[in-house]
Amino acid sequence: MDIAWQSLTQLKAALDAGRLSAQEITEHLLARIARLDPELHAFVSVDADGARALARAADQARAASLPRPPLHGLPVVLKDLLDIEGRVCTLGSRRNLQRVATVTAATVERLLAAGMVPLGKVHMTEFAFGGWGTNPLMGTPRNPWDRAVHRVPGGSSSGTGVAVAAGFAPVGIGSDTGGSVRIPCAFNGLTGLKVTHGRISLHGTGLLSWSLDTIGPMARTVADCALLLDALAGPDPRDPTTLAQPLERFARDPRSVRGLRLALPDASQLPALMDAGVTAAWQAAARRFESLGVQVMPARLPDWFFELAPAAGRIIASEAYALHGSYVKDPAVPLGDAVRGRIRQAEAFGPGDYPQALRDMAARRREFAAWFEAYDAILLPSVPIPAIPVAEVDEASPAPGILTRPANYLGLCALSQPAGLVRGLPVGVQIIGKPFDERTVLGLGQASESAGGSELPRPALD
């Protein structure tokens, strides 16, 4: 058994059967991180001592036949916007190298309560504001699918995407405000879930946009995303947006997909910058769903659908400015130029622009809900192109988030999963579902994965 490439579900089965110990898993992964991360730069910090202590305690509890939580002794990596009381949390910014958290994020609390072993904190785009995954001041993680050329990892959950794709951990935590789970999953050949806003508590999470931020699992399989969602979802009085959600369990009995209505938008509506290989992979995914008994229904999205990306950007910039505006204009504060510029876009907005943007978003959500009544889910590509070299990045390009931001703006959930390779690089498709209908997108993703739709070779690291 090659521990580095086992899924969370497989490692859980091996632990339960006594074929592996939590300490064996942890030591294997820590050794792999020590060997490969100097090249890939996924980690801000590795908590080797803490991980070893938790793994040892997990093995002792198992040996004593004590009651165990569902993910007992299993490893995870954490995006560096999740606070842990008494420890530095940078939010991807050199400005925050001395920022010591005063609370522990609800996400971390629930992972620990589920028995998981955090291996460390991983890099991200500064303040989670950027889809390429670049970070000029903290360093840009290296996409593991190309060791000859430094390619973008996708953002903002860049380190999580690289860590899971490189076999440093079976799963990790990302966040998604405009695509920051789905973009790195597409670029790195992973499966990731953008949950409905209000599904997972944001208490203790470094915010970019409180109206659109979501926490989400990133993994190699749909089943692993469902396991993490079971651990993380649920009401939290410290985050009132979570209190209205339906109480569900996602890892048991995946939803049957036969007869589900999957909207396949007209290819002519896709953005002009689509790579032909990505379009072909998306269309192949649609044919696979059809072979599984899903009703793949040609559809035409509202004409304004892809205009929602800049509309979402205006809300994100406005709320980011409210959070960071007190210092973003100071050139002495160490911030990346691109992120500084994105935040300062809000300075051009008039005094009524932000509340009007929120009213417009609410109206679009009502309008789209009426359109969506005819379908159960929508199939789109995740990102229009494969990962490009870092040297070719245009920070002003809409390419990374143009297909993902609409789901955030409209309050939807979405699962991105691999759809094959284009010129040797992974690409993805996203299954977009209605608010709080994660069960449907997980079911569709599981069906496609079981039919071989997400099979990829491993990155050439070993």
Side-chain angles (χ1 to χ4, degrees):
M1 178 184 294
D2 189 341
I3 291 172
W5 298 111
Q6 300 301 298
S7 69
L8 191 72
T9 303
Q10 291 169 325
L11 290 176
K12 176 177 167 57
L15 280 174
D16 291 344
R19 297 193 301 272
L20 284 174
S21 70
Q23 291 176 91
E24 287 175 312
I25 295 170
T26 299
E27 290 298 339
H28 183 92
L29 296 180
L30 289 175
R32 184 175 179 84
I33 292 164
R35 178 166 60 88
L36 291 173
D37 197 54
E39 174 188 351
L40 298 179
H41 193 60
F43 280 84
V44 177
S45 61
V46 178
D47 186 12
D49 291 343
R52 289 183 173 114
L54 288 172
R56 183 167 57 251
D59 287 340
Q60 290 170 345
R62 192 177 298 273
S65 298
L66 296 176
R68 299 186 298 275
L71 302 178
H72 190 69
L74 294 167
V76 65
V77 295
L78 306 174
K79 186 173 181 176
D80 198 26
L81 49 57
L82 297 170
D83 279 347
I84 300 175
E85 185 177 0
R87 300 189 188 180
V88 170
C89 182
T90 71
L91 283 70
S93 180
R94 287 190 63 82
R95 175 187 181 272
N96 293 331
L97 289 177
Q98 305 301 319
R99 177 187 174 274
V100 177
T102 58
V103 300
T104 295
T107 291
V108 177
E109 291 175 344
R110 291 184 177 183
L111 292 173
L112 293 173
M116 298 203 82
V117 178
L119 300 176
K121 293 285 203 75
V122 288
H123 281 288
M124 55 182 282
T125 307
E126 191 167 24
F127 302 139
F129 204 175
W132 292 119
T134 52
N135 191 321
L137 302 187
M138 295 283 283
T140 299
R142 189 183 189 105
N143 190 311
W145 284 85
D146 190 342
R147 297 185 81 173
V149 177
H150 188 178
R151 292 184 180 271
V152 292
S156 64
S157 306
S158 52
T160 309
V162 170
V164 177
F168 294 163
V171 293
I173 301 300
S175 67
D176 195 310
T177 306
S180 293
V181 162
R182 290 162 288 159
I183 297 165
C185 281
F187 282 161
N188 289 283
L190 302 177
T191 297
L193 181 64
K194 182 264 178 230
V195 302
T196 309
H197 182 74
R199 177 64 88 177
I200 297 173
S201 173
L202 293 174
H203 170 74
T205 299
L207 298 178
L208 170 64
S209 168
W210 56 84
S211 296
L212 300 175
D213 288 345
T214 60
I215 290 293
M218 298 169 62
R220 298 193 200 104
T221 70
V222 176
D224 288 0
C225 286
L227 283 171
L228 280 182
L229 184 59
D230 276 347
L232 296 174
D236 180 355
R238 299 166 299 183
D239 180 354
T241 67
T242 65
L243 300 181
Q245 67 177 290
L247 302 181
E248 301 178 77
R249 283 290 174 262
F250 302 94
R252 301 175 188 168
D253 304 322
R255 178 172 180 174
S256 172
V257 302
R258 185 166 293 277
L260 287 181
R261 302 163 301 169
L262 182 64
L264 183 68
D266 189 326
S268 68
Q269 289 191 278
L270 296 179
L273 44 73
M274 291 295 304
D275 183 285
V278 175
T279 302
W282 164 62
Q283 293 168 333
R287 292 191 294 273
R288 186 177 308 106
F289 279 115
E290 200 163 35
S291 74
L292 294 169
V294 176
Q295 295 184 63
V296 176
M297 304 172 67
R300 186 163 185 86
L301 292 164
D303 291 338
W304 42 258
F305 185 84
F306 292 112
E307 297 171 8
L308 299 180
R314 286 190 288 274
I315 293 173
I316 296 168
S318 295
E319 295 182 354
Y321 193 84
L323 295 166
H324 305 291
S326 63
Y327 54 81
V328 75
K329 291 183 282 189
D330 184 352
V333 175
L335 303 177
D337 290 341
V339 170
R340 190 192 299 269
R342 289 182 194 120
I343 296 172
R344 294 196 66 180
Q345 288 174 358
E347 295 173 359
F349 302 159
D353 288 352
Y354 172 67
Q356 185 60 50
L358 294 180
R359 291 188 65 187
D360 292 344
M361 182 170 70
R364 287 300 194 203
R365 288 183 177 189
R366 290 190 296 269
E367 189 175 349
F368 194 76
W371 180 93
F372 211 166
E373 287 179 359
Y375 313 100
D376 297 300
I378 306 163
L379 184 68
L380 279 173
S382 298
V383 185
I385 56 176
I388 64 172
V390 170
E392 296 178 9
V393 165
D394 174 3
E395 293 287 1
S397 170
I402 195 167
L403 296 170
T404 52
R405 277 188 176 183
N408 302 81
Y409 187 87
L410 294 169
L412 309 173
C413 62
L415 180 85
S416 180
Q417 61 183 159
L421 300 177
V422 173
R423 297 184 293 280
L425 298 168
V427 298
V429 294
Q430 56 177 329
I431 305 160
I432 301 173
K434 296 173 183 177
F436 294 113
D437 197 16
E438 286 84 359
R439 188 164 179 264
T440 292
V441 299
L442 289 166
L444 285 163
Q446 181 70 68
S448 177
E449 182 181 281
S450 297
S454 299
E455 291 182 2
L456 294 180
R458 299 170 184 169
L461 295 174
D462 297 305

